Amino acid sequence: MFSNFRALIGIRKHPISNEGEETRIPVHTNRASDLKFDGFFTWFKAFKKPSMDSLQIYADNSDEEDLSHQPSTQSADSSPPRLMPSKSAAPKVDDTMLALTAAEARQAQSRPIDPTQHVVAFNPTYDQLWAPTYGPAHPYAKDGIAQGMRNHKLGFVEDASIDSFVFDEQYNTFHKYGYAADPSGSNYIGDLDALQKNDAISVYNIPQHEQKKRKIEKEKDEDEVDPTEIDNPATDVWLMKNKRSPWAGKKEGVQTELTEEQKKYAEEYAKKKEEKGHQGEKGEHVVDKTTFHGKEDRDYQGRSWIAPPKDAKATNDHCYIPKRLVHTWSGHTKGVSAIRFFPKYGHLILSAGMDTKVKIWDVFNSGKCMRTYMGHSKAVRDISFCNDGTKFLTAGYDKNIKYWDTETGQVISTFSTGKIPYVVKLNPDEDKQNILLAGMSDKKIVQWDINTGQITQEYDQHLGAVNTITFVDNNRRFVTSSDDKSLRVWEFGIPVVIKYISEPHMHSMPSISLHPNTNWLAAQSLDNQILIYSTRERFQLNKKKRFAGHIVAGYACQVNFSPDGRFVMSGDGEGKCWFWDWKSCKVFRTLKCHEGVCIGCEWHPLEQSKVATCGWDGLIKYWD
């Protein structure tokens, strides 16, 4: 029995030793020493009993401690405990330097250690000790910066050396009192006398008595109101005290007497302004001149040089696309803005130049310039023949519209509203050849009677400068386009829009031409396409017909039709002339006509395969 017990207690943990520590108790296996074992057994029993007793005592003590730490529960009738606010007699301490020091220590703990320094003033972390030194980025390190140098996925981010609140406090304190705490040390910089006088206060810890004093002064200012200021709150004193905006309190000074020099200058300025306004209203005045370049005004039969040749007639109703250059006219010193063939016959061609001159050229015989008309002081914008070609209109940027006699070169009439005319047109009816319409830069279409020189009607609905006027429906109506990206249809003589076409996707249309069958309008849109509108009652867009491929954005390139209506043509901004087939809407041919912009193109009214083009290079070219 005892031998089994020896084996059982051979190794046993001490009951009050630390867990995991083993206490080996020696066991004697010699039978001769049984008496010794009896002594040991007695000792073991003595050892075990106090141990168990001590554990019981320990548990009882711990229960008592728990009870002593618990707050004593009060009855429902007892009053709640009163918590008195704690008072401290310690003086208030400015913690600015403490905040600066803490910020510096925080920054020091986050940045890598400089290997050149011999003393480290803080306990660095493992990462800081093993961080690589500063230097060029390692070629094999990811993203060019070693992993140990990072505290952010994009690299190393340093904390600011000073908190934003502390910085604002010291910044404003320095500007108000003249001193501030030095972030690099525990001293102050700036006006030390003011520092001592103000007891080193900052703008954010003004003493309470100072705050109270300011509040009393503010209330006192509000209470003191002058009775005269209540009656008249616009006095200078009231404005200065109560101004709420940068403009309040600023009154013009009293007008003083002008000196003789100032009076003289004022009179000259007023006179100049009056002349300028008068001139702007009537348009700039230029002496009208003309020069005839031909051999004789009349031929041996007494016919005028503008008379059409007798044998000029159409040989074929079928039109063809021109292929080659036949002739070039080069008399203008600047760009040519528009060309017009002589009506019905086309034996002469009229051109408007940006050199302020209008020239007419012989097409049928010599190909020379026949006459130059000089009456504008600025570039000529538009020209238009009357029905028989004996007279024509010009519109210039000098704000004048002039009505010329084609043969003699005399100016019959001049019209002006003080605005720039962009387009001029005579009513095509034979009995209304004395009625002039002009689209102006001030959004109006103005109608004059040429015989009387009076404005008979104004069509004022557009929201931008008027670019085109096109008569439709047997000349009972006309269509206008404008910079406001809309088309408007008017009854002739009635200033009310009968049709208004404007869509969000529409662009400005600086040129419109009527199809020979008068059923369609071709409108040059500034989004590099030509759109077709019906001239019937509804003026709908024909979505099946659309001509594109040319580049006209920003240029008022003219669009036109062949006399038989089979072809559509237009110039473009790159100097080309484009021809499309009317039925298929496909590009038929392109001709490289000019250097720069090809602004105008006209099909000869009788010669079915001849086309004239003009460009900003100053040339007029004739193609066959």
Side-chain angles (χ1 to χ4, degrees):
M1 175 185 171
F2 288 115
S3 61
N4 292 338
F5 182 72
R6 289 192 196 101
L8 180 65
I9 65 167
I11 297 173
R12 179 181 176 84
K13 293 181 182 177
H14 199 284
I16 56 172
S17 65
N18 290 334
E19 189 177 1
E21 292 182 9
E22 297 176 351
T23 305
R24 291 187 175 271
I25 301 173
V27 178
H28 302 276
T29 55
N30 190 359
R31 286 188 176 271
S33 59
D34 285 341
L35 291 173
K36 290 183 180 178
F37 179 75
D38 292 340
F40 166 75
F41 190 66
T42 307
W43 169 83
F44 179 73
K45 283 170 68 179
F47 175 78
K48 181 180 175 186
K49 188 171 186 306
S51 300
M52 294 302 176
D53 294 343
S54 62
L55 286 172
Q56 186 66 33
I57 293 164
Y58 176 76
D60 295 342
N61 291 339
S62 64
D63 291 342
E64 288 174 7
E65 286 178 7
D66 291 342
L67 288 170
S68 66
H69 285 307
Q70 288 178 358
S72 61
T73 56
Q74 296 177 353
S75 65
D77 298 333
S78 60
S79 60
R82 289 184 178 83
L83 299 174
M84 299 298 290
S86 60
K87 288 210 170 188
S88 174
K92 230 180 172 184
V93 179
D94 186 9
D95 56 352
T96 306
M97 301 309 298
L98 182 64
L100 291 171
T101 310
E104 188 178 355
R106 208 164 49 246
Q107 185 202 13
Q109 288 177 3
S110 62
R111 62 171 179 249
I113 297 170
D114 184 4
T116 59
Q117 68 184 19
H118 300 288
V119 178
V120 180
F122 60 94
N123 190 16
T125 62
Y126 176 84
D127 289 336
Q128 284 176 296
L129 284 171
W130 290 96
T133 56
Y134 285 105
H138 196 277
Y140 304 114
K142 188 182 174 186
D143 296 337
I145 187 165
Q147 200 66 31
M149 290 280 290
R150 294 163 178 248
N151 59 4
H152 187 267
K153 65 179 181 179
L154 298 179
F156 180 77
V157 180
E158 285 188 6
D159 285 342
S161 61
I162 182 170
D163 290 338
S164 58
F165 174 79
V166 179
F167 175 82
D168 290 341
E169 181 183 20
Q170 297 307 315
Y171 176 82
N172 293 320
T173 302
F174 186 82
H175 279 276
K176 183 174 176 63
Y177 298 118
Y179 59 84
D182 186 359
S184 63
S186 59
N187 56 342
Y188 281 85
I189 58 171
D191 189 354
L192 299 179
D193 295 335
L195 174 74
Q196 194 171 2
K197 182 182 176 184
N198 294 318
D199 200 16
I201 63 167
S202 72
V203 289
Y204 292 162
N205 57 11
I206 298 172
Q208 199 164 359
H209 65 86
E210 185 74 20
Q211 293 178 8
K212 193 172 181 180
K213 184 180 174 184
R214 289 185 183 183
K215 191 175 179 183
I216 291 168
E217 286 177 357
K218 190 177 180 183
E219 288 173 356
K220 189 178 177 183
D221 288 343
E222 288 177 356
D223 292 340
E224 290 178 2
V225 179
D226 193 355
T228 58
E229 290 177 13
I230 298 172
D231 297 335
N232 182 18
T235 58
D236 289 345
V237 179
W238 189 90
L239 285 172
M240 290 306 293
K241 277 189 179 181
N242 299 279
K243 60 183 177 181
R244 295 287 180 270
S245 71
W247 297 274
K250 293 181 181 177
K251 292 184 71 178
E252 292 183 4
V254 182
Q255 183 67 35
T256 56
E257 285 287 330
L258 294 175
T259 61
E260 290 297 324
E261 190 178 351
Q262 288 174 331
K263 282 181 182 177
K264 186 178 177 182
Y265 177 78
E267 286 172 7
E268 287 178 1
Y269 180 76
K271 189 178 178 182
K272 192 185 292 183
K273 192 173 181 182
E274 187 182 349
E275 286 177 3
K276 191 176 181 181
H278 185 72
Q279 188 178 1
E281 184 183 346
K282 297 294 182 185
E284 297 177 22
H285 179 68
V286 175
V287 178
D288 303 317
K289 294 187 292 183
T290 182
T291 306
F292 182 67
H293 304 290
K295 291 181 181 178
E296 294 174 331
D297 286 352
R298 299 186 177 274
D299 63 2
Y300 67 97
Q301 290 182 331
R303 291 181 304 174
S304 170
W305 61 274
I306 67 165
K310 288 186 177 180
D311 56 346
K313 59 181 180 180
T315 56
N316 195 345
D317 292 337
H318 200 75
C319 290
Y320 302 94
I321 301 290
K323 296 179 180 177
R324 61 191 178 88
L325 181 64
V326 178
H327 191 76
T328 302
W329 291 287
S330 57
H332 288 284
T333 57
K334 292 184 180 178
V336 180
S337 54
I339 51 172
R340 301 284 183 268
F341 273 111
F342 196 91
K344 298 178 186 173
Y345 299 100
H347 63 291
L348 299 169
I349 188 169
L350 190 69
S351 64
M354 297 178 187
D355 57 357
T356 74
K357 296 175 183 175
V358 178
K359 291 177 179 283
I360 193 163
W361 314 79
D362 185 7
V363 177
F364 195 75
N365 294 317
S366 64
K368 293 181 179 178
C369 180
M370 299 300 292
R371 189 179 278 281
T372 301
Y373 308 88
M374 294 167 284
H376 290 280
S377 62
K378 291 184 180 176
V380 183
R381 161 84 188 200
D382 192 32
I383 47 178
S384 179
F385 271 113
C386 68
N387 282 358
D388 58 3
T390 56
K391 300 175 184 68
F392 66 90
L393 289 162
T394 60
Y397 283 101
D398 58 357
K399 304 175 184 175
N400 287 326
I401 300 168
K402 301 212 171 193
Y403 192 44
W404 302 78
D405 185 289
T406 310
E407 183 181 356
T408 62
Q410 298 300 312
V411 175
I412 301 168
S413 311
T414 302
F415 309 94
S416 178
T417 63
K419 304 296 178 184
I420 299 170
Y422 282 169
V423 57
V424 285
K425 191 85 63 148
L426 287 171
N427 189 307
D429 284 340
E430 291 295 336
D431 60 341
K432 295 189 180 73
Q433 286 287 287
N434 63 321
I435 294 176
L436 156 67
L437 288 174
M440 314 299 288
S441 61
D442 64 345
K443 316 168 192 175
K444 295 179 182 177
I445 300 113
V446 184
Q447 180 178 312
W448 277 277
D449 186 337
I450 291 176
N451 297 336
T452 62
Q454 299 296 317
I455 294 176
T456 57
Q457 191 61 268
E458 278 190 357
Y459 307 84
D460 186 10
Q461 292 284 316
H462 275 294
L463 305 174
V466 181
N467 292 323
T468 65
I469 299 171
T470 311
F471 280 90
V472 296
D473 194 14
N474 294 325
N475 306 326
R476 289 179 299 184
R477 297 172 181 167
F478 61 93
V479 181
T480 59
S481 69
S482 163
D483 285 347
D484 62 6
K485 304 178 184 178
S486 70
L487 293 178
R488 293 172 201 249
V489 185
W490 314 76
E491 286 276 357
F492 177 73
I494 302 172
V496 179
V497 174
I498 62 170
K499 182 72 177 178
Y500 169 59
I501 304 166
S502 180
E503 299 291 340
H505 57 77
M506 283 174 60
H507 287 68
S508 183
M509 299 175 183
S511 175
I512 292 180
S513 184
L514 185 65
H515 193 278
N517 67 9
T518 69
N519 291 333
W520 305 100
L521 286 172
Q524 182 83 269
S525 178
L526 285 186
D527 58 346
N528 299 328
Q529 59 180 342
I530 297 169
L531 304 176
I532 306 298
Y533 288 90
S534 167
T535 59
R536 299 298 176 192
E537 291 296 324
R538 300 184 67 185
F539 289 90
Q540 281 185 317
L541 174 67
N542 188 339
K543 294 181 181 178
K544 293 182 180 178
K545 288 199 180 295
R546 175 180 163 275
F547 304 91
H550 57 324
I551 306 295
V552 290
Y555 304 105
C557 295
Q558 185 184 347
V559 61
N560 226 318
F561 288 97
S562 62
D564 63 354
R566 286 181 61 236
F567 300 106
V568 181
M569 67 172 177
S570 166
D572 81 345
E574 297 174 346
K576 296 177 184 174
C577 187
W578 291 67
F579 297 89
W580 292 269
D581 185 76
W582 168 255
K583 285 187 177 178
S584 66
C585 299
K586 292 180 180 177
V587 178
F588 205 93
R589 182 171 297 154
T590 59
L591 295 174
K592 176 64 177 173
C593 299
H594 295 274
E595 295 296 327
V597 183
C598 177
I599 199 74
C601 55
E602 286 266 334
W603 210 293
H604 197 285
L606 296 181
E607 301 278 351
Q608 283 79 12
S609 63
K610 292 190 176 174
V611 169
T613 62
C614 66
W616 285 1
D617 55 0
L619 301 177
I620 304 159
K621 294 188 178 181
Y622 197 38
W623 304 81
D624 187 4

